[in-house]
Amino acid sequence: MQEVLIAGIDKERLPQHIAIIMDGNGRWAQEKGQDRLYGHYHGVESVRNIVEGCAELGIHYLTLYAFSTENWDRPQQEVEGLMALLVDTIRKEVPTLNKNNIRLHVIGDMNMLPKFAQDELQEALEMTSQNTGLNLVMALSYSSRWELVNAVKNIGLDVQSGKIDPTTINHETLEKYLTTSQFPDPELMIRTSGEYRISNFLLYQLAYAELYFTNTRWPDFRKENLYEAIIDFQARERRFGKTGQQIQEETQLA
Ligand code: IPE
Ligand code: IPE
Ligand code: MG
């Protein structure tokens, strides 16, 4: 099954950046009569599988929405369990990341994380900083509104100190102040578990992303599901405001 699907992927037209809202851990667990944290533990297996799948395909950037600003409002027991799981997973996975030449990045409000999590993350960022393969971007304590407000605040400060002439501000200026300034925009955004919303994820960066929704809960999501999403993406016509005819003419010329 996996081989059939992978053969259907055009390696010349891969998205260079895939972003995923990993949703449905809690429901997956509750459907099995288990505690929500049981779902988060199993979600880690999907993360491993999908990171490996992206690295094998030669995807350059994978951004995973792991914890949102709003997720801090969940019951304390769940938040603490998630933080412990995060630190434990990172500690265990760094050797595998290095073996597979994967570089870890983090976007989000790191100051909100408990100190032990900040330290562990910092170490993992440094230990993988020389890797040149897949860039794995973890969105942690991240939300787009937080990011945009922060960017506007910092632009304001730089205008005030004379570093920026406000009349020259354009989209590139704003992009430099986003947490994603080093990464291209995602071309494909996947959300698992049957919710059709963005939940404060990369609102600016997803402007022209293709959105793919699946009912599969995150702990059940595997490489074959990723391949299906990529095949679906490759069948779409991305028009960026132009007409279909213009796009077809451009493709023929290329
Ligand atoms: C996604 O699964 C993981 C996080 C948000 C941390 P959920 O925990 O949101 O699971 P559901 O959506 O409640 O099933
Ligand atoms: C989005 O999922 C955040 C992450 C996957 C980390 P949520 O489960 O928090 O989103 P809502 O509340 O259903 O919109
Ligand atoms: Mg959810």
Side-chain angles (χ1 to χ4, degrees):
M1 176 68 179
Q2 231 185 60
E3 289 73 24
V4 177
L5 279 170
I6 206 164
I9 296 177
D10 178 351
K11 295 280 168 47
E12 304 299 315
R13 293 173 47 246
L14 286 171
Q16 60 168 335
H17 186 170
I18 299 177
I20 306 182
I21 302 180
M22 310 184 288
D23 197 18
N25 295 350
R27 278 165 286 170
W28 183 89
Q30 282 162 338
E31 282 154 11
K32 293 181 158 41
Q34 301 281 347
D35 186 76
R36 292 175 56 85
L37 275 172
Y38 179 78
H40 298 312
Y41 286 112
H42 281 269
V44 174
E45 199 42 55
S46 303
V47 172
R48 276 197 206 100
N49 191 272
I50 296 310
V51 169
E52 188 181 277
C54 285
E56 285 164 357
L57 281 173
I59 303 290
H60 296 301
Y61 299 88
L62 172 66
T63 297
L64 298 176
Y65 201 8
F67 195 85
S68 73
T69 306
E70 289 76 19
N71 289 150
W72 288 114
D73 295 333
R74 289 192 178 189
Q76 196 189 342
Q77 183 246 2
E78 183 169 344
V79 172
E80 282 173 4
L82 274 165
M83 289 302 134
L85 178 63
L86 168 77
V87 168
D88 190 50
T89 306
I90 288 173
R91 191 176 295 139
K92 286 194 188 129
E93 293 303 314
V94 167
T96 314
L97 295 178
N98 280 333
K99 192 170 117 250
N100 296 320
N101 198 20
I102 298 168
R103 179 170 179 185
L104 184 70
H105 305 263
V106 182
I107 57 172
D109 188 357
M110 288 306 106
N111 295 327
M112 292 282 289
L113 295 174
K115 178 81 170 68
F116 71 100
Q118 289 185 31
D119 292 347
E120 196 66 38
L121 273 167
Q122 199 50 47
E123 204 179 312
L125 294 178
E126 280 159 25
M127 283 169 77
T128 64
S129 65
Q130 301 303 315
N131 296 338
T132 55
L134 174 71
N135 288 285
L136 172 61
V137 186
M138 296 300 289
L140 276 175
S141 189
Y142 172 88
S143 75
S144 231
R145 287 183 175 179
W146 163 81
E147 173 180 49
L148 286 165
V149 167
N150 224 20
V152 170
K153 201 183 289 167
N154 288 325
I155 291 173
L157 288 170
D158 283 348
V159 166
Q160 196 180 36
S161 69
K163 233 164 105 185
I164 304 182
D165 170 0
T167 62
T168 64
I169 292 176
N170 57 20
H171 72 90
E172 284 167 357
T173 320
L174 177 56
E175 284 156 17
K176 280 196 202 115
Y177 285 80
L178 298 177
T179 58
T180 51
S181 58
Q182 312 168 56
F183 318 126
D185 288 343
E187 295 104 316
L188 170 62
M189 197 288 288
I190 300 171
R191 182 171 188 150
T192 58
S193 204
E195 306 302 342
Y196 299 85
R197 56 177 171 263
I198 305 287
S199 303
N200 220 345
F201 185 46
L202 302 175
L203 299 179
Y204 179 91
Q205 298 86 340
L206 292 177
Y208 266 106
E210 295 299 325
L211 309 181
Y212 180 88
F213 298 97
T214 170
N215 288 332
T216 305
R217 305 239 188 268
W218 178 251
D220 287 330
F221 196 86
R222 287 292 179 276
K223 286 179 198 174
E224 41 275 30
N225 306 94
L226 173 75
Y227 302 154
E228 275 167 357
I230 295 175
I231 291 168
D232 190 277
F233 164 83
Q234 291 186 330
R236 300 188 192 185
E237 183 176 63
R238 306 187 70 211
R239 288 193 283 274
F240 301 97
K242 294 185 182 174
T243 68
Q245 195 183 343
Q246 284 176 298
I247 299 299
Q248 281 143 31
E249 281 164 7
E250 282 171 13
T251 334
Q252 275 155 20
L253 284 174

